[in-house]
Structures are given as C-alpha cells and as structure tokens.
Amino acid sequence: CNWIGYTGVVLPPAWISAGMLGRRKYNLNLMSHDTAIAMIRRVIDVHKVNVKEVYVDTVGKAEFYEEKLSKEFPRLRIKVESKADATYPIVGAASIVAKVSRDHFVHNWSHLEDGIDTNQETGSGYPGDPKSKKWLRDHLDQVFGLPSFARLSWGTSQELMVKNCLEIEWEDK
C-alpha cells in the first residue's frame, strides 16, 4: 500500500514582518530553514513516520542549508538543491500543494482590520505583480499604513508607505 501525506506551517505576514523588522533580525531564509526543521520534526516525532530521505528546494546557499539539515537530522539522507522541484517529483508535488494551500489561505484570510475588500484579488504577492501592487495601494491608510495582511518588510510595501503616508516625528522622553 502506497500513501503520501504532507504537513505545513502558515507564517502570517505580520509575523514575518515582525521578524524582519525587529531589533533582532530574523530573515526569510532563516524562517524557511527553521520551518522546514519544525515540519520534519513534527512528521518524525508527532506523526511517527519513519523518514529516511528528505528532498528540499533550497532557500539560500544549498550547501549551507543541506549541512544545517544534516546536523539536525544526522540519520536522514538529505538532498538540498536549487530547482529541486524540477528534479525530484516529490518536491514538485510539495510545491504544488504549498501553492494551492497558500492560495486557499490568502483567499479565505480572516482580516483583523475593517474595510478590507475580500473580493479584490491580492495577486501573487510578488513585487512585479500589478494585482498585488493595486491591492496594497487600495488598502493603504495615510496614518496607519497597511493592514496586517501585508508584509511591511517587503520593499514594495515600504516604498508605498514612504511615498503616501504621513510622516511622524517621535519625541524622545
């Protein structure tokens, strides 16, 4: 009997922004590495799957990432490489599951703020996507900036806020 399962972790945009903009910088590569480690641990420790091999599409330098995972999981055969989704069918399948899951979460996101047009397309979230840029422009407030759904650490978000939001001067007390 063959079967396949998957696990995932949702990193909310506000959490990513807090990590990247905080005093102690926590960049996307490290977030991705730590998330992968947490998912592997969950599959082994919680779901009791007898994992023998792990294939990962790299984030950052493949050699560094593979060494990091190998130190965390010395008994596993780990392969990290660029474009692994094109080389290993299981990574391609995981990529599809991640994209479909992401699209589902984005479409059904429960917004904290009022006034979010849930019918407006958000786009892919990538810097060159006109739909993503339009969503940001349409949901920008001159005083409060962007809603928590937007990644404030994203250069496109920061540029939009610098150009269109009121400047605030803080008094040191």
Side-chain angles (χ1 to χ4, degrees):
C1 175
N2 291 327
W3 59 273
I4 187 166
Y6 68 92
T7 190
V9 173
V10 175
L11 302 179
W15 187 85
I16 294 171
S17 294
M20 293 184 70
L21 298 173
R23 284 185 186 209
R24 296 180 128 186
K25 304 296 182 213
Y26 186 35
N27 70 39
L28 281 175
N29 286 6
L30 289 177
M31 288 180 201
S32 179
H33 295 180
D34 291 346
T35 301
I37 290 167
M39 288 189 296
I40 295 167
R41 283 200 194 291
R42 180 188 313 144
V43 168
I44 293 170
D45 297 341
V46 175
H47 299 294
K48 306 297 183 195
V49 175
N50 184 18
V51 177
K52 295 181 181 183
E53 300 175 355
V54 175
Y55 297 89
V56 180
D57 199 349
T58 196
V59 176
K61 292 186 179 183
E63 302 80 23
F64 170 78
Y65 194 8
E66 186 170 302
E67 183 179 325
K68 185 176 186 176
L69 289 174
S70 293
K71 284 181 181 175
E72 287 287 329
F73 306 100
R75 67 174 192 83
L76 302 181
R77 178 177 178 265
I78 295 177
K79 184 65 183 163
V80 177
E81 66 182 57
S82 180
K83 309 282 187 210
D85 56 337
T87 306
Y88 304 101
I90 194 67
V91 179
S95 180
I96 292 167
V97 167
K99 181 175 181 348
V100 170
S101 298
R102 178 193 167 280
D103 289 350
H104 174 78
F105 280 117
V106 166
H107 182 72
N108 295 298
W109 195 266
S110 178
H111 295 278
L112 299 174
E113 300 89 352
D114 291 331
I116 303 295
D117 181 358
T118 57
N119 294 316
Q120 182 180 1
E121 286 191 56
T122 57
S124 65
Y126 290 108
D129 186 337
K131 289 178 183 173
S132 294
K133 288 180 177 180
K134 180 173 179 2
W135 190 94
L136 290 172
R137 283 192 308 272
D138 291 350
H139 292 90
L140 180 70
D141 182 280
Q142 280 190 312
V143 175
F144 298 108
L146 292 164
S148 61
F149 182 68
R151 274 191 27 215
L152 303 180
S153 55
W154 187 34
T156 305
S157 297
Q158 291 180 358
E159 183 180 314
L160 187 67
M161 288 186 292
V162 165
K163 286 182 180 176
N164 298 289
C165 290
L166 299 173
E167 193 171 321
I168 296 174
E169 189 173 316
W170 299 96
E171 282 188 33
D172 291 343
K173 291 191 177 199

